[in-house]
Amino acid sequence: MTYYKAKDILKALTSKGMEEIPGDGSHHIMLKREYEGGPTLISRISRGSKAGYDDFLLTQVGKQLALNLSEVKLLVKCPMKQAEWDQIVAERCPDGINPLAPYRRQ
């Protein structure tokens, strides 16, 4: 099983348009990406420099980003460009709701 460092995930997400937002004082960095006429994606990444993300945690992050596990790995490793991610989000969230997010609004 491959582990990804939190700092590498954070770097990949911010390079593809996610912005840090004020946190809740926890041990996480909050990230947000808004799409015009679409969903607002929100994710939390650990602040720990030694934090490692396994497939389970990457799957949870992927749900927050409207991606499956293999797609989130491509996003983090950087073969997936921002435009490709935008296309996936547009296809999966046509009504502005992320169907994969555990916190879906009704």
Side-chain angles (χ1 to χ4, degrees):
M1 181 179 305
T2 305
Y3 284 86
Y4 293 83
K5 293 181 179 178
K7 68 177 185 173
D8 295 336
I9 297 170
L10 178 64
K11 182 178 178 182
L13 295 180
T14 55
S15 73
K16 297 196 172 88
M18 291 203 83
E19 300 176 0
E20 277 191 53
I21 56 175
D24 56 3
S26 71
H27 298 287
H28 293 88
I29 297 169
M30 301 295 292
L31 299 166
K32 177 171 80 170
R33 176 121 191 255
E34 295 183 56
Y35 288 87
E36 187 173 330
T40 297
L41 303 179
I42 298 173
S43 186
R44 294 168 30 131
I45 303 297
S46 176
R47 291 184 187 274
S49 61
K50 295 181 183 178
Y53 280 60
D54 60 10
D55 286 353
F56 175 78
L57 288 175
L58 281 177
T59 298
Q60 302 312 306
V61 171
K63 288 177 183 179
Q64 296 167 351
L65 305 177
L67 299 172
N68 63 38
L69 177 60
S70 61
E71 291 166 339
V72 80
K73 286 181 177 182
L74 290 174
L75 189 72
V76 172
K77 289 193 267 184
C78 291
M80 182 184 290
K81 306 293 183 215
Q82 183 174 339
E84 294 172 82
W85 183 23
D86 291 345
Q87 182 64 35
I88 290 169
V89 171
E91 290 171 5
R92 291 201 181 135
C93 311
D95 57 359
I97 297 172
N98 179 357
L100 304 177
Y103 55 82
R104 292 187 300 227
R105 67 175 195 250
Q106 299 298 330

